[in-house]
Amino acid sequence: MKQYQLTRFGIDGLALVDAPEPAPGPRDVVVRWHACSLNSRDLLLVEGHLAPDLPLPFTPVSDAAGEVVSVGNEVTAWRSGDRVVSHFFIDWQDGEGTPERRTASLGYSLPGLLAEYSMLPARALVPLPSHLSYAEGATLPIAGVTAWNALFPTDQAVLPPGSSVLLEGTGGVSIFALQLAHAAGLRTIITSSGDDRLARARSLGADATINYRTTPTWADETRRLTDGRGVDLVVDIGGAATLNNAFRAVRMGGAVALVGLIGGPNVEINVPQVFSQLIRIRGIGVGSRTDLLAVLRAIETRRIRPVIDREFAFNEVSAAFRHFKAGAHFGKVSSALLKRRNAFIRHSQTEIMTNTNRPNERRKR
Amino acid sequence: MKQYQLTRFGIDGLALVDAPEPAPGPRDVVVRWHACSLNSRDLLLVEGHLAPDLPLPFTPVSDAAGEVVSVGNEVTAWRSGDRVVSHFFIDWQDGEGTPERRTASLGYSLPGLLAEYSMLPARALVPLPSHLSYAEGATLPIAGVTAWNALFPTDQAVLPPGSSVLLEGTGGVSIFALQLAHAAGLRTIITSSGDDRLARARSLGADATINYRTTPTWADETRRLTDGRGVDLVVDIGGAATLNNAFRAVRMGGAVALVGLIGGPNVEINVPQVFSQLIRIRGIGVGSRTDLLAVLRAIETRRIRPVIDREFAFNEVSAAFRHFKAGAHFGKVSSALLKRRNAFIRHSQTEIMTNTNRPNERRKR
Amino acid sequence: MKQYQLTRFGIDGLALVDAPEPAPGPRDVVVRWHACSLNSRDLLLVEGHLAPDLPLPFTPVSDAAGEVVSVGNEVTAWRSGDRVVSHFFIDWQDGEGTPERRTASLGYSLPGLLAEYSMLPARALVPLPSHLSYAEGATLPIAGVTAWNALFPTDQAVLPPGSSVLLEGTGGVSIFALQLAHAAGLRTIITSSGDDRLARARSLGADATINYRTTPTWADETRRLTDGRGVDLVVDIGGAATLNNAFRAVRMGGAVALVGLIGGPNVEINVPQVFSQLIRIRGIGVGSRTDLLAVLRAIETRRIRPVIDREFAFNEVSAAFRHFKAGAHFGKVSSALLKRRNAFIRHSQTEIMTNTNRPNERRKR
Amino acid sequence: MKQYQLTRFGIDGLALVDAPEPAPGPRDVVVRWHACSLNSRDLLLVEGHLAPDLPLPFTPVSDAAGEVVSVGNEVTAWRSGDRVVSHFFIDWQDGEGTPERRTASLGYSLPGLLAEYSMLPARALVPLPSHLSYAEGATLPIAGVTAWNALFPTDQAVLPPGSSVLLEGTGGVSIFALQLAHAAGLRTIITSSGDDRLARARSLGADATINYRTTPTWADETRRLTDGRGVDLVVDIGGAATLNNAFRAVRMGGAVALVGLIGGPNVEINVPQVFSQLIRIRGIGVGSRTDLLAVLRAIETRRIRPVIDREFAFNEVSAAFRHFKAGAHFGKVSSALLKRRNAFIRHSQTEIMTNTNRPNERRKR
């Protein structure tokens, strides 16, 4: 089978090589991938920033969707032909995140999925909803679960309908958060530097939009849009670039979910601002398999379709990473994110042709 | 002004009398009502079941919407012309329900609103959303808040989107619960004895429907519709008639909200069933002014329109109560409830003509 | 090795037989038990009430503590010599209870622990705190976890210190609940039919006591003790005999945890009482391994010692069950419960002599 | 009556003046104060840092305890002779903090209590527990409520017994938090620069102590004391000086309550540290009257006695502030805090003599 390997850090270090097709152990499953999607951590890893000591060669990429082709003899949960999505933290099945549960992750401490086939333990997979294509399914594991836990953390009060949420930029996590928040009856406000992207966000359910380039005082605008009170929740993607504005945009007693660092990792905060405004901050780091199943359940209930920016063929992986990186380097947070989430890779045109003959693929757009 | 008084128990005991127009004390507000709605407690009170010792004459009816006509000199929250909705437990402003907060209630321990004008303390009112008519607004205080607290109790984890809820019958609380649950991205299953009512429920967002007359094993059907697991929440209206089926329809660890007693108040339960299924039962008794404001916020965010069954003129109050009672006496729970919530009373055709000249009334259907 | 087998239903059907010593599979652990404790479900099972279709012979008893003697080659969590306590629902490791997680239970769907040795999967054990004897440890799995989840359910708001709780009787779950509630700073009120038992409860931290024989209006007395408001939580053991009194003893908006059925399984409740008092009822059915670990952590933090009523030697099992049953048949709930929890069985005097030479056993009382 | 007025910023600006004794309006209460206590905000205000634009003269100090001497004719909650404690945010009665509820505060937006008498609305008082002296009661409103909400926030899961908490320094909030956490069965770890203060903390229930001067790596030591996992909660007093260590001391998924800024208000944080460790941060800003009542209830249940460092007579107010300030200027956080909370002022020796004749004062230490 074909497999990408990172032979040296840098996008040019990605090489397509031949590898033996995996045979499952008794509790394993072999999956033929039909699509995978890129997250910012994939680019950081490929470029040597995320794990500079990573022993090479290494197969990158965390998120994929495909079809089970064989199962070990102790596996009862899956059978050949099942459409599946990968689960990132394979040992984080349920409950709170612990160091033990967050150690094993695909495309980081374990080999990634940028290959025709992978062998995974049965617990590292979830079923792909029938209304989704493989490409759509591949966008879910990291971006979908991160958006989910930013909005609906199990250890906190979930916001009832009519609550308000501010989403920063139109990148992967933000667009998932927009779709999920809209499905939950929340009032959504979203920012971007591009009016075209804001228009598209409105078509996905955004109740209000702010162009942060033409309205750099977007935190004040958010307060204005909420009768001066501020939103109940901010999903903060921008880190250093946005956190202090997030504190100004959130209502007294509201929450800021930290999910990203697009604008840099280190930021000075004012402690009295946090405590006098009774702000709750929660760090979000993807989630459990149960969380991923909850995302799937919500997506099926409201027939939500993940938004894909651009598709690449399996042999265009370098182009996909470059597209992703170029976006990121524009210096525009939302633009970068928009490309980030949506850049994804199909394994081959041939495979896709085959897939379109399968009944549940006919429902694709 | 004109006012109804219950002079002796029974619908025939309702008399339209003249009363002096109220003048507000320093912290009071005088409201001219444009619509009120009937709840089952109103009928129970009029017929002498709810409060047999009630000193008569007494003006009944708890829920109404209207327009502020004058305010006391210490009132800053309201001014003449404001469109308002009444709040049932006037001293339950926020937080948990306590005996003190649940003592003063309109149309029970305090005079009701079946009158052209009432004087109320400022805290007994909330603003009517601009997209709603007075008739629609009048349906909110008891049925809307009860449905809200059944679905989104502040002391419990709120269900995230994709969770499932079973609603019994198509009465007032159930239809509000259907609309709010749908707005919150929940998967809704609803029962009724009438296929026409189920069809209407589907048009309001019901994901699945069960005719409990043709499918008396509706609890089993609910489990079947949820892959054998049961729903996350049942909003139980039926009391004795339905509670044990509710226990069978709910998933292990799920919740049953007790909000009604249509089928009788006393019911034998099996304690080991509750503890071996880890069932959570919560009694719901309307709610606070903050809860009512939350309902308004959700209704505004998703532009939800309350469903009205039939309208009566102010001088047709006896007919309205009889319509309500006839529904209840049909012996069909959903039918009774459907009429129950929806029966409401407009004060006069003339007033409504006047209202249609006001800008925010033009938006009415 | 020696093992008890139930050869026919009834205490007389318990026979001590020889069985081969178990050898661990790769993921298993063999434990030599030093003590086990009886729960009411053990007696119900032995007498044929709990599982009338149970294929016999069957080794009963769910809870035990002992010492690891050998481990399979894939086991890393345990090694020979470790002091351990059994975990009842072996597949319920964490998170919510589900049918799958609650299927496999020791001494019910799986063989019990009334034997010199058992082979268990590694996940069916937890470490015995060093300050506890084996006998004390053996009381924890069912009674301790049930009391824990009645008091500190993970899906609900935990009561802060100063909250009040009513405990019914002085049986196993109630005494654990007393100790844990006292450790949590809760104000505890406990009932019993015996003043001597109430005195002992006060020595364990009870803030107020009620002799329900001399004060049959114990629900009213509970309200009196709480300034007329009622307690924040009732841990209801008595089922049919007590539930309606529990509803009267709890404050508006308070909780009733259903954990037992000493007074019978079926009880008529008044639905409007539940909803007008905003009562929360939660069924408790033991808990997860994570819950058991939480009990251990609390017990270690405050050096809580479980209370043991009477000890029997391993060859006195019939006498132990009869003691237990006689207590239950006295007709006095608390008496029955007190004996119930506390009846436990040591394997042999010889073993205990040996054990007292082990360092961490010297700490025993 | 005598009253202190700040005539110009600085401790020397405090002048003892004559003022008319207040007469209550219909909903007001006049209280004769027997003790008040100092918080850091009082010093910040007096020195002109907290509110540089404050119109002078102004009577400072937020917290006091005393005796009702007269009530308005609409007041039913209080009567002459009642022992009472002041409530800081007088309009924050219950529920979440909002800007409206947090506007009116004693000794800041409203005149403070450094006077023989004050007139307050009835809702600005709570009853002084009978086992506490006035001096002890005066320590509760800000420090006690802040500690309470840091430990037991109503919008979050309360920590069950056996959970662990790290407290920074031995100042007012930390010592209250120590006493309350110990009462709640939590495992407490506390830091200080003085071994004598740590010894005293152990006598109040601290399970482990760290001298942060001799062990500057106190975050690592905290992890070591918790088997490498970190504590469930850190109550962060130190702001800039401690927050990043707090992030290292807390377990994955644990909480950091921000309550102070002893070490400075501005601090650079690392966003990925927060999200990869799933840290929850919550800003705490005192609390509601309901919170204060909850503190009283816990304190009464476990007969907790607040810890007082040093007492001053009413005419020694300048000395009290200087003592407080000197402490703060030592540069040792815990020392500063210890003095801060505990510095309090008795009105006069004479009054105290009188008080000792009152029955409920005899219980004083």
Side-chain angles (χ1 to χ4, degrees):
Chain A
M1 70 156 187
K2 293 294 185 187
Q3 186 185 55
Y4 275 93
Q5 285 188 345
L6 186 66
T7 56
R8 54 188 164 75
F9 288 121
I11 294 175
D12 292 338
L14 286 165
L16 191 57
V17 301
D18 283 303
E21 204 162 307
R27 284 169 260 165
D28 296 319
V29 174
V30 172
V31 183
R32 184 173 58 161
W33 302 117
H34 290 258
C36 53
S37 75
L38 297 188
N39 290 285
S40 58
R41 57 180 303 128
D42 299 321
L43 180 62
L44 291 169
L45 182 137
V46 162
E47 298 210 317
H49 305 308
L50 189 64
D53 300 331
L54 187 73
L56 302 182
F58 181 80
T59 298
V61 175
S62 301
D63 291 353
E67 185 182 1
V68 171
V69 292
S70 60
V71 302
N73 55 27
E74 292 183 23
V75 173
T76 57
W78 305 110
R79 54 183 180 182
S80 185
D82 283 349
R83 288 158 35 100
V84 294
V85 175
S86 61
H87 165 53
F88 178 60
F89 282 125
I90 68 169
D91 293 330
W92 190 1
Q93 294 285 303
D94 193 24
E96 281 194 290
T98 62
E100 294 78 8
R101 290 169 175 169
R102 288 171 56 92
T103 295
S105 62
L106 299 174
Y108 183 64
S109 61
L110 298 172
L113 309 180
L114 199 52
E116 285 188 291
Y117 297 88
S118 298
M119 186 176 74
L120 292 174
R123 69 186 183 283
L125 299 170
V126 296
L128 173 61
S130 62
H131 77 290
L132 295 189
S133 70
Y134 289 114
E136 290 167 332
T139 65
L140 299 171
I142 288 182
V145 172
T146 299
W148 180 264
N149 279 323
L151 293 168
F152 315 115
T154 49
D155 64 335
Q156 312 271 328
V158 166
L159 297 174
S163 305
S164 54
V165 55
L166 174 67
L167 307 168
E168 296 172 358
T170 55
V173 172
S174 291
I175 292 298
F176 263 120
L178 172 62
Q179 294 178 295
L180 291 168
H182 182 69
L186 305 183
R187 182 171 177 232
T188 49
I189 305 172
I190 193 164
T191 67
S192 174
S193 63
D195 286 338
D196 52 338
R197 288 192 289 273
L198 292 175
R200 191 164 184 202
R202 280 193 296 275
S203 76
L204 290 167
D207 293 297
T209 58
I210 305 172
N211 185 318
Y212 67 79
R213 194 187 306 171
T214 57
T215 309
T217 57
W218 50 271
D220 298 331
E221 177 66 6
T222 300
R223 294 195 88 85
R224 198 191 59 77
L225 286 167
T226 50
D227 298 324
R229 304 196 76 79
V231 289
D232 295 301
L233 172 68
V234 180
V235 181
D236 187 72
I237 305 288
T242 54
L243 186 58
N244 280 292
N245 274 319
F247 291 162
R248 286 168 49 214
V250 76
R251 73 164 167 86
M252 182 177 284
V256 176
L258 297 191
V259 306
L261 47 74
I262 299 299
N266 294 313
V267 55
E268 186 176 280
I269 66 169
N270 179 258
V271 169
Q273 180 183 30
V274 175
F275 67 63
S276 67
Q277 292 298 307
L278 312 177
I279 295 172
R280 277 82 179 90
I281 303 167
R282 44 181 188 246
I284 303 298
V286 199
S288 71
R289 187 172 180 270
T290 295
D291 296 329
L292 178 52
L293 291 170
V295 174
L296 299 181
R297 198 170 59 160
I299 279 181
E300 285 191 280
T301 298
R302 281 296 176 272
R303 298 274 143 176
I304 294 171
R305 308 290 300 256
V307 178
I308 292 172
D309 174 52
R310 183 162 160 193
E311 304 191 357
F312 293 84
F314 187 54
N315 59 3
E316 297 173 324
V317 160
S318 297
F321 270 101
R322 282 199 194 88
H323 174 77
F324 197 100
K325 184 178 179 177
H329 282 194
F330 245 119
K332 294 146 197 153
V333 172
S334 62
S335 165
L337 280 167
L338 185 67
K339 284 163 185 150
R340 178 162 307 180
R341 196 270 319 282
N342 300 320
F344 89 101
I345 300 148
R346 285 219 182 125
H347 280 200
S348 76
Q349 203 58 29
T350 312
E351 281 177 16
I352 285 170
M353 301 285 271
T354 310
N355 286 337
T356 54
N357 296 324
R358 301 187 63 237
N360 52 13
E361 284 297 298
R362 289 206 191 96
R363 289 170 219 146
K364 283 196 308 182
R365 292 170 304 176
Chain B
M1 70 157 186
K2 294 293 184 188
Q3 185 184 57
Y4 276 93
Q5 284 188 347
L6 186 67
T7 55
R8 53 186 163 76
F9 287 122
I11 295 175
D12 291 338
L14 286 165
L16 192 57
V17 301
D18 284 305
E21 204 162 308
R27 284 168 260 164
D28 296 318
V29 174
V30 172
V31 183
R32 183 172 60 159
W33 303 117
H34 289 259
C36 53
S37 76
L38 297 189
N39 289 284
S40 59
R41 58 179 304 127
D42 299 321
L43 180 61
L44 290 169
L45 182 138
V46 163
E47 298 211 317
H49 305 308
L50 189 64
D53 300 331
L54 187 74
L56 301 183
F58 181 79
T59 297
V61 175
S62 302
D63 291 353
E67 186 181 1
V68 171
V69 293
S70 60
V71 302
N73 56 25
E74 292 183 24
V75 173
T76 57
W78 305 110
R79 55 184 179 181
S80 186
D82 283 348
R83 288 159 33 99
V84 293
V85 175
S86 60
H87 164 53
F88 177 60
F89 282 125
I90 68 169
D91 292 331
W92 189 1
Q93 293 287 302
D94 192 24
E96 280 194 290
T98 62
E100 293 78 9
R101 290 168 175 171
R102 287 170 58 91
T103 294
S105 60
L106 299 174
Y108 183 63
S109 62
L110 298 172
L113 310 180
L114 199 51
E116 284 188 293
Y117 297 89
S118 298
M119 185 177 74
L120 291 174
R123 70 186 183 284
L125 300 170
V126 296
L128 174 61
S130 62
H131 76 292
L132 295 189
S133 70
Y134 288 114
E136 290 167 332
T139 67
L140 298 171
I142 287 182
V145 172
T146 299
W148 180 266
N149 278 323
L151 293 168
F152 313 116
T154 48
D155 63 337
Q156 311 271 328
V158 167
L159 296 174
S163 306
S164 54
V165 56
L166 174 67
L167 306 168
E168 298 173 357
T170 55
V173 173
S174 292
I175 293 297
F176 262 120
L178 171 63
Q179 294 178 296
L180 291 168
H182 183 70
L186 306 185
R187 183 172 175 230
T188 49
I189 305 173
I190 193 164
T191 67
S192 174
S193 62
D195 286 337
D196 53 337
R197 288 191 290 273
L198 292 175
R200 192 164 183 204
R202 279 193 297 276
S203 76
L204 290 167
D207 293 297
T209 58
I210 304 173
N211 184 319
Y212 66 79
R213 194 188 304 171
T214 57
T215 307
T217 56
W218 51 272
D220 298 330
E221 178 66 7
T222 301
R223 293 195 89 84
R224 197 189 61 76
L225 286 167
T226 50
D227 298 324
R229 304 198 75 80
V231 289
D232 295 301
L233 172 67
V234 180
V235 180
D236 187 72
I237 306 288
T242 53
L243 185 57
N244 280 291
N245 274 319
F247 290 163
R248 287 167 49 212
V250 77
R251 75 163 165 85
M252 182 177 284
V256 176
L258 297 191
V259 305
L261 48 74
I262 298 299
N266 294 314
V267 55
E268 187 177 278
I269 66 169
N270 179 258
V271 169
Q273 181 182 30
V274 174
F275 66 64
S276 67
Q277 292 299 307
L278 311 178
I279 295 172
R280 277 84 179 90
I281 303 167
R282 42 180 191 245
I284 303 299
V286 199
S288 71
R289 186 172 182 272
T290 295
D291 295 327
L292 178 52
L293 290 170
V295 174
L296 299 182
R297 197 170 60 159
I299 279 180
E300 285 191 281
T301 299
R302 283 293 176 272
R303 297 275 144 176
I304 293 171
R305 308 291 298 256
V307 178
I308 292 172
D309 175 52
R310 187 162 157 192
E311 305 191 355
F312 292 84
F314 187 53
N315 59 4
E316 297 173 325
V317 161
S318 297
F321 269 101
R322 281 198 194 90
H323 173 77
F324 197 97
K325 184 178 180 178
H329 282 194
F330 249 120
K332 293 149 200 152
V333 171
S334 62
S335 165
L337 280 167
L338 185 68
K339 284 163 186 150
R340 178 162 307 180
R341 196 268 320 277
N342 300 321
F344 89 100
I345 300 148
R346 285 224 180 118
H347 280 200
S348 78
Q349 203 58 28
T350 312
E351 280 177 18
I352 286 172
M353 302 285 271
T354 311
N355 286 336
T356 53
N357 295 326
R358 302 187 63 234
N360 52 13
E361 283 298 297
R362 290 209 191 94
R363 289 171 218 145
K364 282 197 310 181
R365 291 172 304 176
Chain C
M1 71 156 187
K2 293 293 184 187
Q3 186 185 57
Y4 276 93
Q5 285 189 345
L6 186 67
T7 55
R8 55 188 162 75
F9 288 122
I11 295 175
D12 291 339
L14 286 165
L16 191 58
V17 302
D18 284 303
E21 204 161 306
R27 284 169 259 164
D28 296 319
V29 174
V30 173
V31 183
R32 184 172 60 161
W33 302 117
H34 289 258
C36 53
S37 76
L38 298 188
N39 289 285
S40 58
R41 57 180 302 127
D42 298 322
L43 180 62
L44 291 169
L45 182 137
V46 163
E47 298 210 316
H49 305 308
L50 189 64
D53 300 331
L54 187 74
L56 302 182
F58 181 80
T59 298
V61 175
S62 302
D63 290 354
E67 186 183 1
V68 171
V69 293
S70 60
V71 302
N73 56 26
E74 291 184 24
V75 173
T76 56
W78 305 110
R79 56 184 178 180
S80 186
D82 283 348
R83 287 159 35 100
V84 292
V85 174
S86 61
H87 164 52
F88 178 59
F89 282 124
I90 68 170
D91 292 331
W92 189 1
Q93 294 287 302
D94 193 24
E96 280 195 291
T98 62
E100 294 77 9
R101 289 168 175 170
R102 287 170 57 92
T103 294
S105 61
L106 298 175
Y108 183 63
S109 62
L110 298 172
L113 309 180
L114 199 52
E116 284 188 292
Y117 297 88
S118 298
M119 186 177 74
L120 292 174
R123 70 186 183 282
L125 300 170
V126 296
L128 173 62
S130 63
H131 77 291
L132 296 188
S133 70
Y134 288 113
E136 290 167 333
T139 66
L140 298 171
I142 288 182
V145 171
T146 299
W148 180 265
N149 278 324
L151 293 167
F152 314 115
T154 48
D155 63 336
Q156 311 271 328
V158 166
L159 297 173
S163 306
S164 54
V165 56
L166 174 67
L167 306 168
E168 297 173 357
T170 56
V173 172
S174 291
I175 293 298
F176 263 120
L178 172 62
Q179 294 177 296
L180 291 167
H182 182 70
L186 306 184
R187 183 171 175 230
T188 50
I189 305 173
I190 193 164
T191 68
S192 174
S193 62
D195 286 338
D196 53 336
R197 288 191 289 273
L198 292 175
R200 192 164 183 203
R202 280 194 295 275
S203 76
L204 290 168
D207 293 297
T209 57
I210 305 173
N211 185 319
Y212 67 80
R213 195 188 304 172
T214 56
T215 308
T217 56
W218 51 271
D220 298 331
E221 178 66 7
T222 301
R223 294 195 89 84
R224 197 190 60 77
L225 287 166
T226 50
D227 298 325
R229 304 197 76 79
V231 288
D232 295 301
L233 172 67
V234 180
V235 181
D236 187 72
I237 305 288
T242 53
L243 186 57
N244 280 291
N245 274 319
F247 290 162
R248 286 166 49 211
V250 76
R251 73 163 166 85
M252 183 178 283
V256 176
L258 297 191
V259 305
L261 47 74
I262 300 299
N266 294 313
V267 55
E268 187 177 280
I269 66 169
N270 179 258
V271 169
Q273 181 183 31
V274 174
F275 66 63
S276 67
Q277 291 298 307
L278 312 178
I279 295 172
R280 277 82 179 90
I281 303 167
R282 45 181 188 246
I284 303 298
V286 199
S288 71
R289 187 172 181 271
T290 295
D291 295 328
L292 178 52
L293 291 169
V295 174
L296 299 182
R297 197 169 59 159
I299 279 181
E300 285 192 280
T301 299
R302 283 295 176 270
R303 298 275 144 176
I304 294 171
R305 309 290 300 256
V307 178
I308 292 172
D309 175 52
R310 185 161 158 192
E311 304 191 356
F312 293 84
F314 187 54
N315 60 4
E316 296 174 325
V317 160
S318 296
F321 270 101
R322 281 198 194 89
H323 174 77
F324 198 99
K325 184 177 179 178
H329 283 194
F330 247 120
K332 293 149 196 152
V333 172
S334 62
S335 164
L337 280 167
L338 185 67
K339 285 165 187 148
R340 179 161 306 179
R341 197 270 319 280
N342 300 321
F344 89 101
I345 301 149
R346 285 223 180 120
H347 281 200
S348 78
Q349 203 58 29
T350 313
E351 281 176 17
I352 286 171
M353 301 286 271
T354 311
N355 286 337
T356 54
N357 296 325
R358 302 187 64 235
N360 52 12
E361 284 298 297
R362 290 207 191 95
R363 289 172 219 145
K364 284 197 308 181
R365 293 171 303 177
Chain D
M1 68 157 188
K2 293 293 185 190
Q3 186 185 56
Y4 276 93
Q5 285 189 347
L6 186 67
T7 55
R8 54 186 163 77
F9 289 121
I11 295 175
D12 291 338
L14 285 166
L16 191 58
V17 301
D18 284 303
E21 202 162 309
R27 285 169 260 164
D28 295 320
V29 174
V30 172
V31 183
R32 183 173 59 160
W33 301 117
H34 290 258
C36 54
S37 76
L38 297 189
N39 290 284
S40 58
R41 58 180 301 128
D42 298 322
L43 180 61
L44 291 169
L45 182 136
V46 163
E47 298 211 316
H49 304 308
L50 189 64
D53 300 331
L54 187 74
L56 301 182
F58 181 80
T59 298
V61 175
S62 301
D63 291 353
E67 186 183 1
V68 171
V69 293
S70 60
V71 303
N73 55 26
E74 292 183 25
V75 172
T76 58
W78 305 109
R79 55 184 179 179
S80 184
D82 284 348
R83 288 159 34 97
V84 293
V85 175
S86 61
H87 165 53
F88 177 60
F89 282 124
I90 68 170
D91 292 331
W92 189 2
Q93 294 286 303
D94 193 24
E96 281 194 290
T98 63
E100 294 79 8
R101 291 169 175 169
R102 287 170 58 91
T103 294
S105 62
L106 299 173
Y108 183 63
S109 61
L110 298 172
L113 310 179
L114 199 52
E116 284 188 293
Y117 297 87
S118 298
M119 184 176 74
L120 292 174
R123 69 186 183 282
L125 299 170
V126 296
L128 173 61
S130 63
H131 77 291
L132 296 188
S133 70
Y134 289 115
E136 290 167 332
T139 65
L140 298 171
I142 288 182
V145 172
T146 299
W148 180 266
N149 279 324
L151 292 169
F152 314 115
T154 49
D155 63 336
Q156 312 270 328
V158 166
L159 295 174
S163 305
S164 54
V165 56
L166 175 67
L167 307 167
E168 297 172 358
T170 55
V173 172
S174 291
I175 293 297
F176 263 121
L178 172 62
Q179 294 178 295
L180 291 168
H182 183 69
L186 306 184
R187 182 170 176 232
T188 49
I189 305 172
I190 193 163
T191 68
S192 174
S193 63
D195 287 336
D196 54 335
R197 288 191 290 272
L198 292 175
R200 191 166 184 203
R202 280 193 296 275
S203 76
L204 291 168
D207 294 297
T209 57
I210 304 172
N211 185 317
Y212 67 79
R213 194 188 304 171
T214 58
T215 308
T217 57
W218 51 271
D220 298 331
E221 177 67 6
T222 300
R223 294 195 88 84
R224 197 190 60 77
L225 287 167
T226 50
D227 299 323
R229 305 198 74 80
V231 290
D232 295 301
L233 172 68
V234 180
V235 181
D236 188 72
I237 305 289
T242 54
L243 186 57
N244 280 292
N245 274 319
F247 291 163
R248 287 167 48 212
V250 76
R251 73 162 167 85
M252 181 177 283
V256 176
L258 297 192
V259 306
L261 48 73
I262 299 299
N266 294 315
V267 55
E268 186 177 279
I269 66 169
N270 179 258
V271 169
Q273 181 183 29
V274 175
F275 67 62
S276 68
Q277 292 298 307
L278 311 177
I279 296 172
R280 276 83 180 90
I281 304 167
R282 44 181 189 245
I284 304 297
V286 201
S288 71
R289 186 172 182 272
T290 295
D291 295 328
L292 178 52
L293 291 169
V295 174
L296 299 182
R297 197 170 60 159
I299 279 181
E300 285 192 280
T301 298
R302 283 294 177 272
R303 299 274 144 177
I304 294 171
R305 310 290 300 256
V307 179
I308 293 172
D309 175 51
R310 186 164 158 191
E311 304 190 356
F312 293 84
F314 187 54
N315 59 4
E316 297 173 325
V317 159
S318 297
F321 270 101
R322 280 198 195 88
H323 173 77
F324 197 97
K325 183 178 180 178
H329 283 194
F330 247 120
K332 294 148 200 154
V333 170
S334 62
S335 165
L337 279 167
L338 185 67
K339 285 165 185 148
R340 177 163 307 181
R341 196 267 322 280
N342 300 320
F344 89 102
I345 301 149
R346 286 224 179 117
H347 281 198
S348 77
Q349 203 58 32
T350 312
E351 281 177 16
I352 285 172
M353 301 285 270
T354 311
N355 286 337
T356 55
N357 296 325
R358 302 188 63 235
N360 53 13
E361 283 300 297
R362 289 208 192 95
R363 289 172 219 145
K364 283 197 309 181
R365 290 170 303 176

